[in-house]
Amino acid sequence: MAYSEKVIEHYENSRNVGTLDKEDPNVGTGLVGAPACGDLMRLQLKISDDGIVQDAKFKTYGCGSAIASSSLVSEWVKGKSVDEAQTITNKEIARELSLPPVKIHCSVLAEDAIKAAIKDFQEKRAKRQAQAVVAPKAETPAQP
Amino acid sequence: MNHFEVFGLAPVLELDVKALEQRHRALSLELHPDRLVAADAKARLSALEKTAALNDAFKVLKDPVRRAFYVLRLKGVDLESEGGAARAAMPMAFLEEVMERRERLEALKARGELAQARALADDVAREQQAALERAKAALTSDDVAEATHQLGRVRYYARFIEEVEAFEEEASS
C-alpha cells in the first residue's frame, strides 16, 4: 500500500521521539494499544501548572501510519492548553495525513493516547491535591 | 457459509490438520476447472467462487492461532476490526509489559545482540503458547471476555516475535 507523502515524512523524520520522566508530577503518560494489529503507542505530555502542554514525547511500535499519527499529534499538542489538546480528533489526524480507511485506527490510537496522557496528568494532580490537603494535618502535632 | 461449514465441520478449536488437508485436496479436485469443461459459464463461475472460499477457509483453519481468532469471531468479537471494546480489553499492566519488552528489544537491535534477541523471542513464544491455551479454554467455556483478552495477548506476542525474526533476517542478509 502506498503511504502518503506526509506519512512518509513523519515516519522518516519523526518528531519528538523519546521519553519524559514518568515520575514527574507534571508529566502525563498515555499508553494505548490496538489488539487488532498489535500496535503500541506511548505519548507523554509535560503540562505546566496553568495547563499548557510544554513538551511532548512519544514512542510507537507499529506501522508507518501509527508512527506518523503519533509524531503529528506530538507536534500539534505543544503550546496548546489541555482543553484544546482534548479536542483533537482522529478525523483531523487522518485528514492531515491522508490515511486510507484501513489505517484510520492508527489515528484513533493517537487520539486515545492524547486523552489517556491528559487523564493520567489530571489524576496525578488530583492525588497530589488530595495529599496536600491531608498532609499538613498529619504532620502538625495537635495544637494545644 | 462459515469456514468450518465449508469443510462440513462444526466450529472446533482442535482439529486434525492432516485430515483437513486431505479434505481440502479432495474438495479442490471436485471443483477443478478440468472437470467442468462441459458446464455452462454460470456453473464454472460458481465453482471458482467455491474454490476461493475453500482456500480462504483452509488458510484460516489449518493455523491454530487463526482458527482460535476465527472461533472468537463466530462468538461475536472480531479482533481483526477496530472495535473499542476489543481495545479496552487489554489491561494497562500488560501494555506496560509489552512496551518494556519492545524497548529492551530495540536496545538489543541497536547493539546487534542477536542471541539475546532470540532468547527474548523464545520467552515470548512460550507465553504466547500459554495465552493461546488459556484462550482456547475460555472459548470452550464460552467466556468471551477472557478469550478476547488472551487472544489480544497472542496478537501482541506474535508482533514481537515477527520483529525479532525481521531483525534476524536483516542480520543474516
Side-chain angles (χ1 to χ4, degrees):
Chain A
M1 187 190 35
Y3 283 124
S4 74
E5 263 173 52
K6 276 184 182 159
V7 169
I8 293 168
E9 160 61 15
H10 273 280
Y11 178 72
E12 289 182 343
N13 306 299
S14 294
R15 278 56 141 190
N16 310 311
V17 176
T19 48
L20 296 172
D21 179 12
K22 224 172 75 178
E23 306 308 323
D24 183 334
N26 285 92
V27 170
T29 301
L31 178 59
V32 293
C37 51
D39 284 2
L40 207 56
M41 188 181 285
R42 184 179 63 207
L43 179 69
Q44 294 186 297
L45 305 177
K46 190 172 171 68
I47 300 169
S48 66
D49 289 330
D50 51 357
I52 303 295
V53 179
Q54 293 170 314
D55 199 5
K57 294 273 185 228
F58 81 92
K59 203 148 200 192
T60 294
Y61 295 100
C63 67
S65 301
I67 290 167
S69 296
S70 33
S71 171
L72 177 70
V73 300
S74 73
E75 278 203 314
W76 272 1
V77 293
K78 274 201 218 176
K80 281 200 164 72
S81 72
V82 166
D83 290 341
E84 285 168 334
Q86 291 267 31
T87 63
I88 294 173
T89 64
N90 83 289
K91 284 209 183 79
E92 293 169 84
I93 300 162
R95 200 185 311 126
E96 175 69 16
L97 296 173
S98 317
L99 296 180
V102 292
K103 290 292 178 185
I104 295 299
H105 69 274
C106 300
S107 61
V108 175
L109 213 52
E111 180 191 325
D112 288 353
I114 302 175
K115 297 206 156 80
I118 292 175
K119 190 169 165 244
D120 180 55
F121 166 75
Q122 287 170 339
E123 280 171 2
K124 262 185 178 174
R125 195 177 48 183
K127 218 189 240 171
R128 216 169 55 218
Q129 282 165 351
Q131 275 167 356
V133 174
V134 175
K137 279 187 194 159
E139 279 166 20
T140 332
Q143 299 285 325
Chain B
M1 235 196 290
N2 73 40
H3 290 340
F4 289 101
E5 288 164 349
V6 168
F7 283 94
L9 294 165
V12 282
L13 287 158
E14 307 290 349
L15 53 77
D16 180 348
V17 176
K18 268 240 155 61
L20 187 77
E21 226 175 290
Q22 283 164 2
R23 187 95 184 101
H24 176 247
R25 210 172 308 138
L27 289 169
S28 299
L29 277 175
E30 276 175 34
L31 295 165
H32 197 275
D34 288 356
R35 292 187 152 235
L36 299 163
V37 270
D40 58 16
K42 211 175 140 194
R44 280 203 300 271
L45 183 64
S46 145
L48 268 181
E49 285 168 0
K50 280 184 187 157
T51 302
L54 182 67
N55 290 339
D56 282 349
F58 183 57
K59 245 185 274 169
V60 171
L61 298 190
K62 72 175 175 184
D63 175 0
V65 173
R66 295 189 69 179
R67 195 191 308 142
F69 275 94
Y70 190 70
V71 171
L72 180 65
R73 194 173 130 191
L74 293 179
K75 290 184 188 289
V77 178
D78 187 357
L79 268 182
E80 313 295 333
S81 84
E82 310 303 329
R87 214 172 32 239
M90 298 318 292
M92 190 50 69
F94 173 71
L95 293 181
E96 279 168 1
E97 173 203 316
V98 177
M99 195 74 193
E100 199 220 307
R101 280 197 159 118
R102 284 295 199 119
E103 287 178 322
R104 222 182 314 157
L105 176 59
E106 201 179 18
L108 291 175
K109 280 167 78 173
R111 296 200 303 267
E113 302 268 16
L114 268 178
Q116 288 189 47
R118 177 34 55 191
L120 268 187
D122 290 345
D123 283 347
V124 168
R126 273 189 290 277
E127 287 181 45
Q128 185 193 28
Q129 191 55 40
L132 179 62
E133 292 308 321
R134 285 194 296 267
K136 289 200 281 197
L139 285 168
T140 306
S141 62
D142 236 353
D143 185 347
V144 174
E146 172 67 4
T148 305
H149 167 207
Q150 295 300 342
L151 285 176
R153 282 178 175 256
V154 169
R155 175 59 53 76
Y156 281 101
Y157 290 143
R159 281 288 171 277
F160 186 91
I161 295 165
E162 280 169 23
E163 193 69 26
V164 174
E165 284 167 354
F167 172 43
E168 288 171 330
E169 222 164 86
E170 216 175 281
S172 71
S173 64

